[in-house]
Amino acid sequence: MKISTRLLYIFYILILHIVLILLVYKTLSGNKLIFIVSELFLLISLLVSVIIYRRMVRPVAFFKAGMETIRDKDFTVKLVSSGNDETDAFVQVYNLMIDELRKERTQLLEQHFFLGKLIEASPVAIIVLDFDEKIVSVNQKFKTLFSLTSDDVAGQPLDFLDQDIIAHLAALPVGGSETVKINNIETFRIHKSHFMDRGFRRLFITIEELTAEMLESEKNAFGIIIRMMAHEVNNTLGATNSILETSIQYLPEAYADLSGALTIALERNNQLKMFMRNFADVVRLPLPVKQPVAVDSLIKRTTQFMTPLAEQEGLNLVVDILAHPVILLDAAQIEQVLINVIKNAIEACESGNEIRIELRSNNLAIRNNGKPITHEISSRLFTPFYSTKSTGQGIGLTLTKEILRNHGFAFSLKTSEDGWTAFEIGF
C-alpha cells in the first residue's frame, strides 16, 4: 500500500511533537515554569508546522487542479493568484500554457471545420478510409455520384461498392492517378494517396468526373470541323448542282448516256449534301422541350413502327412492360433515340435472334442476343464518324448520346457475360 507524501508529513509531525511533549513532561515536570514555557513552545512549533504544511499543500492542490483540467481537455479554466510567490510562479506558467493550448486547439478546430466544409463542397468525390482500409466518410459528391448515403458505406470495405470503377481503384498504387472509362461513356480521373493520423498511415481516394467536360470538349471540336466541312461542301455543291441541272436540261436527246451520268452525279451530290446535313444536325441539336410523357405508350408506338423491319429480318421483337412511369422528356427526341437503338439491335442480329425491350419504373433496357460488342469496338462507341457498318456515317449513337445527355439520363451500352448486349437508359 502506497502512502502519500502528505500523510507521511502529517504522521512525522504528530509523532515528533508527541515524543517531544512526553520528553518535556518527563524531564521538566518538576520545574513548572520551564515546563509550561516548553509546552507553549511545542504548541507554537505544532502551529508553525501546520502553517508550513498548508503552504506546501497549496501548490500541490494547484498542480492537481491543473492536471485535472488538462486531463479533461478543458482549456478554458485558469488558476487565480494565491499571494504566494512560489505558487504564483507556477500559476503564471500554467495560465500561459493553457492560453497557448486553447489558441492551438481553436486553430485546429477551425482548420478541421474548414477542411470538412471544403471536402463536403468539393466537386470531386472523396472517400476517406480508416487504418483497416474501411470507409470512414464520404462527401456529398460521392453520395450524388453513386446514389448512396454515409450510413450505407460507413465501416464497409471498398469492394462493398458494386461499381465498375472499384476494380481500377483496387489496382491503383498509393500515390498513383489514372483516367478510366466506365460503360464506354463515363470518364473519371481517380487518385489514391495517404495522410498520417496519430503516427499511422490512412488512405483517401478522389474520383473526379470528367464525362461532361470531355463530351463538351469533344462536341465543340467536332462542331468546328463539321461547320467548316459543311460550309465548304455546300458552297461547292450549290454551284456544281446548278451547272449539272442546267447541263441536263439543255443536253440533246442524242446525249442520253451523258445526261444519265450527269443525273447520277447530281444524285450523289444531293446524297453528300444530306450526309453533311445529318452531321450538322448533331451540332445544332435543340435542347429538349420536356413534358410529362407515359413512357410505356411511347415504347408501344415506337415498337409498332419498328416491328415490320424486325420481322423482315426474321427477328422476334418482345416488349415487357413492368411499370408505367410518367417522365419529363421530349417525346420526339426520345422516340428518335429508341428508333436508333432498335435499328442498331436489328442490324446486329441474325435471323432467329431476339430483341427484348424491358421497361421498369426507373430504367429502360433494350437487349439483343446478336453479335456481341468486342472490347476494341466498345472503346470507340459514341465517337462521331465511327461506325462498324460499311455504309454507316457514325451519327446514330452520337445523336443518341447527345439527346440523352441533354435530358440528364444515364445510359450504357455493353455486352454482358451471358452474351446479351444491352442498351440501358436510367431515368
Side-chain angles (χ1 to χ4, degrees):
M1 178 178 174
K2 218 170 181 182
I3 301 175
S4 66
T5 305
R6 183 174 66 175
L7 290 176
L8 284 173
Y9 177 80
I10 293 172
F11 182 74
Y12 170 76
I13 292 298
L14 287 175
I15 294 297
L16 177 64
H17 283 80
I18 290 171
V19 170
L20 288 174
I21 288 171
L22 291 174
L23 286 174
V24 168
Y25 175 78
K26 196 80 174 170
T27 307
L28 303 174
S29 59
N31 191 331
K32 292 185 178 180
L33 180 62
I34 296 175
F35 175 74
I36 292 171
V37 171
S38 299
E39 292 295 329
L40 287 174
F41 176 78
L42 288 173
L43 288 174
I44 293 170
S45 173
L46 184 61
L47 181 63
V48 170
S49 298
V50 170
I51 294 172
I52 293 172
Y53 168 76
R54 287 181 175 176
R55 296 189 68 176
M56 288 174 60
V57 167
R58 180 170 292 179
V60 175
F62 277 105
F63 274 113
K64 187 175 180 181
M67 287 188 296
E68 288 295 330
T69 58
I70 293 173
R71 185 182 294 114
D72 296 336
K73 298 181 181 180
D74 183 0
F75 303 132
T76 61
V77 177
K78 297 177 71 173
L79 302 180
V80 296
S81 176
S82 65
N84 181 281
D85 293 340
E86 291 85 354
T87 304
D88 288 348
F90 163 75
V91 168
Q92 185 179 9
V93 172
Y94 173 82
N95 288 341
L96 287 173
M97 180 184 69
I98 287 295
D99 287 339
E100 288 299 318
L101 287 174
R102 184 173 61 253
K103 186 186 300 183
E104 289 181 7
R105 189 183 187 189
T106 302
Q107 289 176 347
L108 286 174
L109 287 174
E110 289 174 349
Q111 291 174 0
H112 180 75
F113 179 77
F114 171 73
L115 182 60
K117 287 291 184 182
L118 188 64
I119 290 174
E120 193 65 18
S122 174
V124 177
I126 299 175
I127 308 171
V128 180
L129 307 178
D130 63 12
F131 301 114
D132 297 321
E133 297 190 7
K134 293 183 178 180
I135 299 173
V136 173
S137 62
V138 294
N139 66 345
Q140 185 59 44
K141 179 63 178 179
F142 174 90
K143 300 172 192 174
T144 304
L145 195 61
F146 296 105
S147 300
L148 293 168
T149 66
S150 298
D151 294 336
D152 293 332
V153 299
Q156 300 289 347
L158 268 180
D159 55 14
F160 163 78
L161 300 172
D162 186 19
Q163 305 289 341
D164 293 339
I165 199 169
I166 298 304
H168 296 277
L169 288 173
L172 190 67
V174 176
S177 295
E178 184 183 357
T179 300
V180 298
K181 197 169 185 179
I182 307 298
N183 295 333
N184 310 312
I185 302 162
E186 298 173 308
T187 306
F188 300 94
R189 180 184 291 116
I190 56 176
H191 175 75
K192 184 189 289 185
S193 190
H194 74 276
F195 63 97
M196 301 304 293
D197 181 9
R198 289 165 286 180
F200 295 93
R201 192 179 75 165
R202 287 177 57 185
L203 296 178
F204 71 93
I205 293 165
T206 62
I207 305 173
E208 183 180 1
E209 189 176 17
L210 303 177
T211 308
E213 290 81 355
M214 293 189 69
L215 289 176
E216 189 63 31
S217 175
E218 181 184 83
K219 180 182 175 183
N220 291 337
F222 284 116
I224 294 171
I225 295 172
I226 290 169
R227 282 193 293 271
M228 290 175 60
M229 290 172 60
H231 175 74
E232 295 300 324
V233 169
N234 288 335
N235 284 348
T236 303
L237 291 181
T240 304
N241 285 353
S242 177
I243 294 171
L244 290 174
E245 288 171 356
T246 303
S247 300
I248 293 170
Q249 183 178 357
Y250 289 102
L251 273 176
E253 293 183 4
Y255 293 92
D257 291 343
L258 178 58
S259 177
L262 293 178
T263 301
I264 293 172
L266 182 61
E267 290 174 355
R268 288 298 302 157
N269 279 357
N270 289 331
Q271 289 176 5
L272 180 59
K273 192 173 184 178
M274 183 61 66
F275 178 84
M276 291 308 305
R277 184 178 297 171
N278 288 338
F279 276 117
D281 286 343
V282 175
V283 180
R284 295 196 301 263
L285 181 69
L287 292 176
V289 180
K290 297 181 181 180
Q291 293 180 343
V293 174
V295 182
D296 56 337
S297 298
L298 181 62
I299 290 173
K300 289 175 182 177
R301 186 169 64 249
T302 306
T303 51
Q304 186 177 7
F305 173 72
M306 298 299 294
T307 296
L309 179 59
E311 291 178 346
Q312 182 181 333
E313 299 295 327
L315 307 176
N316 187 22
L317 186 59
V318 179
V319 180
D320 193 4
I321 305 294
L322 302 175
H324 304 273
V326 176
I327 309 292
L328 281 174
L329 50 81
D330 187 316
Q333 291 190 4
I334 296 300
E335 187 173 19
Q336 184 61 51
V337 167
L338 296 177
I339 290 172
N340 286 343
V341 175
I342 295 173
K343 183 173 178 292
N344 285 346
I346 291 172
E347 292 173 349
C349 291
E350 297 177 352
S351 180
N353 287 149
E354 184 175 272
I355 299 172
R356 300 189 61 88
I357 302 174
E358 300 170 357
L359 175 63
R360 293 179 173 80
S361 58
N362 59 354
N363 81 302
L364 168 66
I366 301 173
R367 310 177 191 277
N368 73 82
N369 59 349
K371 185 178 179 181
I373 299 174
T374 64
H375 178 72
E376 181 182 356
I377 294 174
S378 174
S379 62
R380 303 182 65 183
L381 289 173
F382 301 99
T383 302
F385 309 115
Y386 176 75
S387 175
T388 57
K389 299 184 286 288
S390 59
T391 58
Q393 300 175 7
I395 295 175
L397 284 180
T398 304
L399 185 63
T400 296
K401 175 184 71 176
E402 194 65 23
I403 291 173
L404 293 176
R405 179 170 167 252
N406 289 343
H407 277 76
F409 294 160
F411 59 98
S412 65
L413 174 57
K414 61 181 178 180
T415 300
S416 56
E417 293 180 358
D418 60 7
W420 282 75
T421 300
F423 192 110
E424 297 192 39
I425 303 172
F427 302 130

